[in-house]
């Protein structure tokens, strides 16, 4: 009997390490030239026909993933009585603008598929300009006397013609007494609005209405995903984990029928129609938000800059997503019907304890019985201006507050070295809410840039979207504890 048959006939045990299957037999299976002592100390790798990656999920299960196709091959239950081995939290990875959470096997699968598609894409090779080095004959230039006459710069006659009639897109040049005719896709004056930096209104890459639906479900449950934009990411993943703690059930993102049924149960479909009113169009609005604090202080209010911005915040939406959902809408005309998010009613359960998790970039609120009742994505401090540590309390709550800039107490902005009073408004430095803490100069507040929450840094405070900050402000009172954790 040969060595292979002998090894197959003897009892074996499996040792799984890093995706390989290692088999150990008794001392007699060590093969020629191997002592019994060596065979018991080191496992022998008999065969490796496949390449797998093994991940451990939050329940301690082994997720076996094919390293070549990215498909989940097998999910093995956690062994009873075994503790889940400690491991470093997987860092999110980014590829071509998309963020992938490597603690979620589905995101790992999606990452490998996207990388595979990119690697299989044909590469367009550019011709080598230096390939032909023969040079040949010297080039001939036959462009002499191409200008037999000296050019005439403005000294000739001018042909005059009547001006073209006013264009319907130019509201300033409209014919008096005539109702202007609006055309789609013609800028802010009429038709589809154009956001700063946008050449055209198109759905952003990776946007899905299926994702929007469970973002709305999260928002209604009190597990805020931040701006609703139809995209997955770190804020959404955090909200999904909080949803399980708040509701006691797992969000079945893969089951569209279940998501739709939950939406009907909690307030209806994810989308609804909204008719723009004359009050929406009237504002007041400002032309732009200056970056310099002294210029901000010179304004009467830091209002919204457009109807789009105001409606996007009202319906918890990303501005670009709102415009993309309504490509032919004229947001500046009362009576225009648009498609918006059906957000549901704000949560009202009282919050008696707040945890500001710096590592997770999330604020969590707990009720009197210790249950999680609120979770919001947050920007909490930065490396240069870190947030405080320890536990503090809420001392004051102000809605639509002014902001006092003092370079001797706070940070210094630009060349401003004097105390400035910056007027209130959603585009102010602290947004529409200020929840002061017992730690001087620190608080929980809103933001003029909701799409950047959880993705940028702050000057040490806790920054939420305006709508999340407003909801939290109505659920807390003086004396509520705020604990900062790393």
């Amino acid at each position: 009997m040969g060595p292979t048959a002998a090894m197959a006939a003897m009892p074996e045990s499996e040792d799984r390490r890093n995706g390989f299957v290692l088999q150990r037999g008794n001392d007699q299976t060590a093969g020629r030239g191997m002592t019994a002592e060596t065979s018991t100390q080191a496992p022998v790798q008999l065969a490796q026909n496949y390449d797998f990656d093994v991940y451990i999920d939050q329940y301690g299960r082994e997720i076996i993933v094919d390293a070549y196709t990215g498909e989940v091959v097998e999910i093995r239950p956690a062994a009873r009585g075994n503790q889940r081995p400690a491991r470093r939290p997987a860092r999110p990875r980014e590829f071509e603008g998309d963020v992938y959470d490597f603690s979620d096997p589905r995101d790992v699968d999606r990452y490998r598929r996207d990388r595979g598609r990119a690697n299989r894409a044909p590469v367009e090779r550019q011709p080598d300009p230096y390939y032909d080095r023969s040079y040949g004959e010297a080039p001939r230039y036959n462009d002499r006397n191409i200008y037999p006459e000296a050019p005439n710069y403005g000294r000739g006659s001018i042909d005059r013609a009547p001006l073209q009639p006013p264009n319907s897109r130019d509201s300033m040049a409209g014919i008096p007494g005539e109702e202007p005719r609006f055309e789609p896709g013609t800028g802010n004056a009429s038709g589809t609005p154009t956001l700063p930096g946008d050449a055209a209104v198109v759905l952003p890459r990776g946007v899905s209405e299926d994702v929007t639906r469970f973002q709305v479900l999260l928002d209604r449950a009190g597990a805020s995903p931040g701006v609703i934009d139809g995209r997955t990411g770190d804020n959404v993943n955090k909200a999904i984990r909080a949803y399980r703690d708040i509701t006691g059930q797992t969000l079945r993102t893969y089951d569209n029928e279940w998501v739709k049924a939950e939406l009907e149960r909690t307030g209806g479909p994810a989308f609804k129609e909204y008719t723009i009113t004359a009050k929406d169009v009237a504002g007041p609005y400002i032309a732009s938000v200056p970056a310099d604090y002294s210029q901000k202080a010179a304004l009467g209010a830091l209002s919204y800059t457009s109807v789009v911005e105001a409606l996007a915040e009202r319906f918890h939406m990303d501005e670009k997503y709102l415009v993309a959902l309504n490509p032919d809408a004229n947001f500046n005309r009362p009576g225009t019907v648009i498609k918006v998010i059906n957000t549901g009613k704000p949560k009202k359960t009282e919050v008696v304890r707040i945890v500001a998790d710096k590592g997770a970039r999330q604020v969590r609120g707990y009720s009197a019985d210790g249950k999680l009742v609120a979770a919001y994505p947050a920007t909490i401090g930065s490396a240069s201006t870190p947030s405080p540590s320890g536990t503090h309390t809420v001392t004051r709550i102000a809605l639509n507050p002014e902001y006092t800039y003092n370079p001797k107490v706070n940070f210094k902005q630009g060349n401003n070295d004097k105390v400035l009073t910056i007027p209130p408004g959603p585009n102010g430095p602290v947004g529409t809410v200020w929840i002061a803490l017992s730690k001087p100069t620190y608080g929980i507040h809103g933001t003029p840039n909701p799409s950047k929450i959880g993705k940028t840094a702050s000057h040490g405070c806790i920054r939420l979207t305006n709508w999340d900050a407003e909801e939290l402000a109505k659920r807390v009172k003086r004396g509520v504890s705020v604990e900062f954790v790393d």
Side-chain angles (χ1 to χ4, degrees):
M1 182 168 58
T4 304
M7 294 174 72
M10 294 188 178
E12 299 168 345
S13 62
E14 290 187 351
D15 184 11
R16 303 177 184 274
R17 299 181 183 177
N18 299 326
F20 300 102
V21 178
L22 304 180
Q23 297 183 332
R24 291 194 298 265
N26 57 23
D27 294 345
Q28 296 176 357
T29 64
R32 298 179 179 176
M34 181 180 291
T35 65
E37 180 181 357
T38 305
S39 66
T40 59
Q41 289 181 349
V44 179
Q45 181 178 338
L46 294 183
Q48 180 188 349
N49 294 330
Y50 301 99
D51 189 5
F52 296 111
D53 287 340
V54 180
Y55 300 88
I56 307 298
D57 69 4
Q58 65 267 38
Y59 304 107
R61 301 176 300 182
E62 288 187 0
I63 312 298
I64 313 299
V65 179
D66 191 314
Y68 293 102
T69 66
E71 296 180 353
V72 176
V73 175
E74 182 182 356
I75 299 179
R76 294 176 177 168
R80 293 184 178 179
N82 291 344
Q83 281 191 330
R84 180 182 175 187
R87 62 185 180 90
R88 293 185 303 172
R91 294 186 302 170
R93 295 196 186 181
E94 185 171 344
F95 178 68
E96 293 187 350
D98 289 336
V99 178
Y100 303 82
D101 181 5
F102 263 50
S103 64
D104 187 341
R106 290 182 300 247
D107 255 21
V108 174
D109 187 30
R110 185 166 62 91
Y111 172 82
R112 293 187 176 277
R113 287 199 308 270
D114 293 349
R115 285 292 300 266
R117 280 195 294 267
N119 291 337
R120 289 192 297 271
V123 179
E124 205 174 89
R125 298 187 178 277
Q126 299 296 329
D128 183 1
Y130 303 104
Y131 178 73
D132 183 7
R133 301 182 183 276
S134 60
Y135 298 108
E137 351 179 58
R140 297 179 180 179
Y141 300 98
N142 298 320
D143 56 355
R144 295 183 181 179
N145 299 324
I146 197 168
Y147 300 110
E149 298 180 4
N152 187 339
Y153 295 106
R155 294 191 294 273
S157 61
I158 299 175
D159 295 331
R160 299 186 181 275
L163 294 173
Q164 296 293 328
N167 192 303
S168 61
R169 292 180 293 179
D170 190 354
S171 59
M172 299 299 291
I175 301 173
E178 182 177 293
E179 183 70 16
R181 295 188 302 276
F182 297 99
E183 300 174 2
T186 53
N188 279 331
S190 61
T192 304
T194 302
L195 297 175
D198 289 350
V201 178
V202 294
L203 277 172
R205 181 171 167 236
V207 167
S208 165
E209 288 197 1
D210 289 338
V211 175
T212 301
R213 289 187 182 91
F214 65 73
Q215 282 182 318
V216 174
L217 193 56
L218 292 167
D219 189 76
R220 291 180 186 175
S224 172
V227 292
I228 295 174
D229 56 4
R231 299 175 66 104
T232 58
D234 189 46
N235 287 347
V236 173
N237 291 333
K238 289 183 292 191
I240 290 173
R241 289 189 284 270
Y243 178 89
R244 184 174 60 247
D245 295 334
I246 293 173
T247 65
Q249 63 179 348
T250 300
L251 182 68
R252 293 154 63 178
T253 58
Y254 53 88
D255 190 341
N256 290 335
E257 295 305 316
W258 180 88
V259 171
K260 290 177 182 178
E262 285 296 300
L263 285 169
E264 289 296 332
R265 187 181 66 82
T266 58
F271 298 97
K272 67 178 183 180
E273 289 187 343
Y274 175 77
T275 303
I276 296 176
T277 67
K279 185 177 179 181
D280 294 330
V281 176
Y285 299 106
I286 58 177
S288 62
V289 181
D292 188 83
Y293 275 23
S294 63
Q295 296 176 14
K296 290 181 192 287
L299 297 175
L302 286 166
S303 309
Y304 293 116
T305 58
S306 66
V307 179
V308 172
E309 185 184 21
L311 294 180
E313 287 222 356
R314 186 184 306 176
F315 297 109
H316 305 183
M317 300 177 70
D318 176 71
E319 287 183 60
K320 294 180 180 179
Y321 188 42
L322 175 60
V323 172
L325 286 177
N326 301 277
D328 296 324
N330 176 14
F331 287 81
N332 296 316
R333 181 175 63 188
T336 300
V337 179
I338 58 174
K339 182 179 181 180
V340 297
I341 295 300
N342 183 13
T343 57
K345 298 179 180 179
K347 294 295 181 181
K348 297 182 180 179
T349 305
E350 185 179 5
V351 172
V352 301
R353 181 171 73 94
I354 295 173
V355 173
D357 192 328
K358 303 177 188 179
R361 290 178 293 184
Q362 187 179 48
V363 166
R364 297 188 290 273
Y366 295 86
S367 61
D369 56 2
K371 293 182 178 178
L372 180 68
V373 293
Y376 308 109
T379 297
I380 309 175
S382 65
S384 58
T385 53
S387 56
S389 300
T391 302
H392 308 276
T393 58
V394 172
T395 59
R396 182 170 54 90
I397 301 168
L399 300 179
N400 203 30
E402 292 181 336
Y403 176 74
T404 301
Y405 165 75
N406 187 343
K408 295 182 179 179
V409 177
N410 308 114
F411 61 97
K412 183 177 181 181
Q413 194 275 330
N415 296 320
N416 295 303
D417 53 4
K418 296 180 180 179
V419 175
L420 298 170
T421 300
I422 297 176
N427 273 309
V430 295
T432 58
V433 175
W434 173 255
I435 303 174
L437 303 182
S438 54
K439 177 78 171 177
T441 75
Y442 289 94
I444 304 171
H445 60 82
T447 180
N449 300 303
S451 294
K452 296 182 179 180
I453 288 296
K455 303 171 185 176
T456 55
S458 74
H459 293 293
C461 291
I462 303 172
R463 188 183 297 165
L464 310 176
T465 65
N466 282 334
W467 56 87
D468 285 343
E470 289 170 9
E471 181 182 274
L472 181 62
K474 295 174 182 177
R475 301 174 70 176
V476 300
K477 57 186 179 181
R478 291 182 61 183
V480 168
S481 66
V482 180
E483 180 185 359
F484 289 84
V485 298
D486 295 324

